[in-house]
Amino acid sequence: GVQTCALPIFESYFVAQGREWERYAWIKARPVTGTDHAAALRQAMAFQQQGRLAEAERLCREVLKGAPSNPDALHFLGLLEAQQGRHESALSLIDRAVVLNPGNAAAHYNKGNVLNSLARREEALAAYDRALKLKPDHIAAELHRAAILYQLERHTEALASCDRALKFKPNHADALIHR
């Protein structure tokens, strides 16, 4: 009989084992519309993990052409911009993602990282605080917060941040070292 394969499995094959021209043909052949946005973003993340930033960026921009208010695409494109040192652009994109999806702790955390890269420490602290309000066990946000507080010579608050991180993961090496 006819062999069939679900599209996500087929796509996973191209990401993991496909040859370069097969991946390219697959991406160019399929439209990025409707429910394909999530698959396109998964593919973009796979490209980013492989260091193929231009391809990841192109996919995010394709998603945004079809859905300009897609908070996940805006957030991920912001991460790609930050990874390439374009922090102002990254901040603008992540800000838009946060407005569209204010409950995304990861977006607030990444906004804090970008603000910290721009040496906007107080704003970074506020972004980390929002991430922690949404996800109190966000250890990375707590530790980044502690590092900024330490730089600002607010040692008591930095220590408290490390202690909160240790509450969730008692043997966390970075929290123990910074404590």
Side-chain angles (χ1 to χ4, degrees):
V2 177
Q3 292 186 353
T4 62
C5 180
L7 286 178
I9 293 169
F10 195 58
E11 189 164 326
S12 293
Y13 160 78
F14 283 125
V15 171
Q17 299 175 21
R19 293 179 291 262
E20 185 79 23
W21 67 268
E22 288 176 319
R23 284 191 296 269
Y24 182 78
W26 173 252
I27 290 166
K28 292 307 265 184
R30 66 177 169 74
V32 180
T33 59
T35 58
D36 287 327
H37 292 159
L41 290 175
R42 282 193 305 277
Q43 177 69 53
M45 288 179 201
F47 283 152
Q48 185 263 348
Q49 290 169 355
Q50 297 167 4
R52 298 161 61 183
L53 303 182
E55 291 169 273
E57 184 177 336
R58 183 182 53 74
L59 272 178
C60 284
R61 293 191 188 284
E62 280 184 35
V63 169
L64 289 169
K65 279 182 192 171
S69 295
N70 183 311
D72 296 328
L74 289 165
H75 180 201
F76 191 63
L77 184 56
L79 293 177
L80 292 168
E81 291 287 297
Q83 190 173 357
Q84 297 173 78
R86 299 187 295 252
H87 299 292
E88 291 293 341
S89 174
L91 182 58
S92 175
L93 290 160
I94 294 173
D95 270 340
R96 287 174 52 203
V98 164
V99 167
L100 293 165
N101 185 6
N104 183 344
H108 289 286
Y109 167 72
N110 288 314
K111 179 179 177 178
N113 290 341
V114 171
L115 287 163
N116 193 27
S117 295
L118 293 167
R120 292 165 58 179
R121 308 278 188 254
E122 293 294 337
E123 292 172 85
L125 282 174
Y128 292 139
D129 287 343
R130 283 189 293 280
L132 288 162
K133 186 174 182 181
L134 293 166
K135 190 175 187 301
D137 64 342
H138 198 306
I139 293 173
E142 200 71 77
L143 293 176
H144 280 85
R145 184 179 186 282
I148 291 174
L149 289 166
Y150 184 78
Q151 289 172 358
L152 296 173
E153 297 185 12
R154 291 163 55 184
H155 302 297
T156 304
E157 293 173 79
L159 182 61
S161 279
C162 287
D163 287 344
R164 280 190 296 275
L166 287 168
K167 181 176 84 172
F168 291 107
K169 192 169 183 186
N171 294 320
H172 194 282
D174 286 339
L176 289 167
I177 289 169
H178 294 317
R179 190 174 190 294

